[in-house]
Amino acid sequence: MTNPDQRLRRVVIAGGGTAGWMAAAAIARTLGRTVDLTLIESEAIGTIGVGESTIPPLVNYNRLLGINEAEFMRATQATFKLGILFDDWKEPGSRYFHSFGLTGKDHWSAGFQHFWLYGRSKGHDPSYDEYCLELIAALKGRFAHLPEDRMNYAYQLDSGLYAKFLRKMAEGDGAARIEGRIARVELDGESGDIAALHLDSGQRVEGDLFIDCTGFRALLIGDALHVGHDDWTHWLPCDSAIALQTESVGPAVPYTRAMAHDAGWQWRIPLQHRVGNGIVYCSRYLDRDAALDRLVGNVEGEILTEPNFLRFGAGARRKQWHRNCVAIGLSGGFMEPLESTSIHLIQRAVLRLIRMMPLTGISEHDIAEFNDQQHNDMLQIRDFLVLHYKATDRRDSAFWRQCASMEIPDSLAHKIELFRETGRVFRRNDELFAENSWVQVMMGQGIMPRSWHPIAEKLRDDELARLLTMLRDEVTRTVSTLPEHAAYVARYCGAA
Ligand code: FAD
């Protein structure tokens, strides 16, 4: 235990990007005046300036903080997101959709894919996609909130505006903000804990618990405390990105696009007022100028911003919590943005930290538990991302040949083989991506199970046909009642 007899009061957040303000807003709202919360950020340094596509748990995060959704969407220029459309991943010309919805109807013993696979063997043609409400709604450009959260969605947003929105909330809830550059991290000579942060201005900011949200710089957890980094670039070889924004050329669609190219992929994320674009690539196979040309040549609408060049390496901090410092956001690790998991990892870390907020001294057991849970999240997400690169028929470039021939983690190899042989996928340890996510991506990337669960064959042919028709008709009927997405957003946000 550190400081066992002292009440832990002073929480200092270093950095005010999406991570810093997500942490500040949640801590200030949840713990109120039981802590003294200070956030230090430097406008001169700025934030990373990307991060627009999210996944459904963010809806709950905002609800937990009591955020009004329409107000939040207005402030962040957000649109709704029902999933990701993947182009050219299995092979050039191929396409699949990873939706946030459930497909068909599961039985407790077997997911819907088993019934669909059996149906296919009996000559039922409709694709797996046609049984998913969110997927069909997305492709038709439709959206509405449905009773009992029947439509599972996330947001496409401007994360810089989200940080601003959260800043207002956090300051309203008592968080103090200091503008300035952190020049030095002071360690306590005896304990080795962080004692204070020194700013360029000469100001010294003391704290009991420090949250490192300084982004890739990792000033506290990395530079000062020397916590190392696990390198996963041999599994996730993309190491560079270029982002730029364009004007919208049509109504915003409720999905993000991920278009593979011969050395990585490109994103397109429609917001209310503009479109976010970026190319993610492996610098071994594509140089910066060629990547920029490719991106510029494959955007729609007028380019509104200068290109934002970014370098990164996939990997995770070995300990996200060390001594009296917790790394949240890019300082804790980064895996590439393919499945929009970074802001989610911030959310998980912030909520986890609040659950484990010390009363007095910091418990080594809390630290161990936090690190174990965070690590588990990151490993599961890592495997899900690696799947997209490994399971592909693409061999048309050195990049894809490298991906196809790479060794993959045993945990992923097992998951793929289990699915290939039996059609089964299991969600373990509170895993973020549920069974249907794995099924959609595995089949989309070309892994087709060789068999199905025997329970599917319990159905007589006419029962199976009735079930499949009924489920598909229900999707078609519901989608036909939904309004057009962009018009719905405009109305919902009060802008129409
Ligand atoms: P930053 O935004 O870098 O913030 C760091 C903060 O620390 C800033 O306020 C900075 O001023 C401050 N700071 C640094 N040094 C000092 C200092 N010395 N003194 C004072 N202050 C300092 N995530 C998603 O969920 N969805 C996406 O679609 C997505 N797309 C991405 C695309 C790319 C190419 C990349 C690289 C990332 C993407 N991410 C995405 C990740 C997402 O951008 C980040 O997780 C998110 O923005 C959080 O960043 P951060 O707050 O940790 O770091």
Side-chain angles (χ1 to χ4, degrees):
M1 302 273 274
T2 315
N3 302 330
D5 354 296
Q6 272 173 22
R7 181 84 170 73
L8 188 142
R9 276 210 76 86
R10 298 165 304 176
V11 177
V12 178
I13 300 175
T18 316
W21 286 112
M22 280 180 79
I27 293 172
R29 182 126 307 181
T30 314
L31 295 174
R33 308 273 168 188
T34 63
V35 293
D36 297 330
L37 185 62
T38 305
L39 183 146
I40 305 166
E41 68 176 323
S42 159
E43 259 168 36
I45 294 175
T47 64
I48 189 159
V50 281
E52 295 171 333
S53 200
T54 70
I55 52 177
L58 192 67
V59 175
N60 285 334
Y61 188 78
N62 283 352
R63 284 183 190 162
L64 210 71
L65 301 191
I67 290 174
N68 174 291
E69 188 178 58
E71 200 184 309
F72 148 80
M73 289 188 70
R74 241 189 333 266
T76 60
Q77 292 293 318
T79 53
F80 293 103
K81 175 183 170 191
L82 295 170
I84 304 177
L85 178 60
F86 288 88
D87 285 301
D88 304 325
W89 283 82
K90 177 177 175 291
E91 64 211 353
S94 65
R95 167 173 277 195
Y96 72 95
F97 200 97
H98 171 199
S99 85
F100 297 143
L102 282 178
T103 305
K105 200 167 168 21
D106 292 344
H107 182 262
W108 65 264
S109 65
F112 176 70
Q113 72 274 16
H114 296 278
F115 298 88
W116 176 79
L117 286 162
Y118 179 54
R120 210 175 56 133
S121 77
K122 294 263 167 193
H124 293 278
D125 293 336
S127 72
Y128 187 70
D129 292 358
E130 293 180 51
Y131 299 90
C132 180
L133 171 64
E134 286 82 349
L135 195 159
I136 300 299
L139 292 179
K140 293 207 177 290
R142 294 176 178 226
F143 181 87
H145 291 92
L146 293 181
E148 294 163 15
D149 290 334
R150 172 72 187 84
M151 187 76 97
N152 197 29
Y153 64 89
Y155 309 108
Q156 303 172 125
L157 51 77
D158 181 322
S159 63
L161 295 177
Y162 186 43
K164 271 197 190 126
F165 180 83
L166 294 174
R167 172 180 164 186
K168 208 163 140 199
M169 260 181 69
E171 289 185 315
D173 285 336
R177 173 184 180 275
I178 300 175
E179 166 63 37
R181 195 182 76 91
I182 300 160
R184 185 166 76 82
V185 178
E186 177 190 332
L187 300 185
D188 181 279
E190 250 172 55
S191 68
D193 285 359
I194 297 177
L197 304 180
H198 292 255
L199 309 193
D200 270 347
S201 61
Q203 189 174 358
R204 179 175 178 273
V205 183
E206 288 185 353
D208 301 316
L209 181 71
F210 290 84
I211 306 180
D212 185 346
C213 296
T214 60
F216 285 136
R217 289 175 187 83
L219 284 185
L220 282 61
I221 197 89
D223 287 2
L225 294 180
H226 307 297
V227 175
H229 201 254
D230 282 331
D231 183 337
W232 293 337
T233 52
H234 50 299
W235 287 314
L236 295 168
C238 289
D239 58 5
S240 308
I242 310 172
L244 52 80
Q245 298 166 9
T246 54
E247 65 172 8
S248 315
V249 292
V253 291
Y255 57 87
T256 291
R257 285 186 70 177
M259 301 166 270
H261 59 76
D262 63 19
W265 61 282
Q266 181 183 334
W267 78 74
R268 187 172 297 161
I269 307 173
L271 311 188
Q272 287 181 42
H273 61 319
R274 61 163 175 82
V275 176
N277 304 272
I279 186 164
V280 175
Y281 61 99
C282 176
S283 60
R284 240 177 97 192
Y285 299 111
L286 191 66
D287 69 37
R288 187 179 133 133
D289 292 345
L292 181 59
D293 283 351
R294 192 172 291 187
L295 174 63
V296 167
N298 195 28
V299 294
E300 297 172 327
E302 195 186 322
I303 295 176
L304 302 174
T305 55
E306 288 300 314
N308 180 4
F309 295 95
L310 299 144
R311 290 299 301 253
F312 54 83
R317 195 70 49 194
R318 284 200 192 104
K319 292 178 184 171
Q320 313 271 319
W321 188 343
H322 182 56
R323 299 188 172 280
N324 63 340
C325 174
V326 184
I328 297 184
L330 297 173
S331 62
F334 179 63
M335 288 172 283
E336 63 144 279
L338 186 56
E339 285 281 357
S340 326
T341 42
S342 255
I343 292 175
H344 175 74
L345 280 167
I346 296 172
Q347 163 177 347
R348 289 266 248 214
V350 168
L351 298 183
R352 194 163 275 153
L353 175 62
I354 292 175
R355 284 196 198 98
M356 297 186 191
M357 189 58 81
L359 178 66
T360 52
I362 294 168
S363 156
E364 289 301 330
H365 295 288
D366 267 341
I367 295 182
E369 183 64 33
F370 183 92
N371 285 332
D372 196 43
Q373 291 188 16
Q374 285 289 118
H375 191 60
N376 188 46
D377 282 352
M378 296 195 79
L379 291 183
Q380 289 172 333
I381 291 173
R382 179 202 68 191
D383 281 4
F384 192 58
L385 294 175
V386 175
L387 170 69
H388 297 69
Y389 288 97
K390 176 68 182 178
T392 170
D393 296 338
R394 284 193 78 142
R395 303 288 186 274
D396 53 305
S397 65
F399 172 79
W400 287 109
R401 285 191 291 277
Q402 179 191 323
C403 292
S405 66
M406 73 182 163
E407 293 284 324
I408 55 173
D410 290 346
S411 44
L412 175 59
H414 164 73
K415 215 154 187 155
I416 291 176
E417 286 318 310
L418 179 65
F419 184 70
R420 203 193 303 277
E421 281 173 18
T422 68
R424 295 189 236 286
V425 190
F426 292 96
R427 185 183 200 174
R428 290 195 206 163
N429 296 331
D430 198 20
E431 179 170 358
L432 168 62
F433 290 106
E435 183 178 359
N436 196 45
S437 287
W438 281 91
V439 172
Q440 291 178 86
V441 175
M442 289 211 257
M443 296 207 301
Q445 297 274 152
I447 305 172
M448 214 29 95
R450 289 197 275 264
S451 70
W452 46 82
H453 193 285
I455 194 160
E457 299 193 5
K458 200 175 148 198
L459 295 175
R460 289 194 319 262
D461 288 358
D462 61 320
E463 287 173 332
L464 180 70
R466 238 193 341 271
L467 173 74
L468 293 175
T469 307
M470 187 263 292
L471 292 171
R472 186 159 155 260
D473 286 354
E474 197 177 307
V475 168
T476 314
R477 203 172 37 249
T478 309
V479 170
S480 72
T481 66
L482 298 174
E484 197 267 324
H485 165 253
Y488 184 83
V489 171
R491 242 192 343 270
Y492 188 61
C493 294

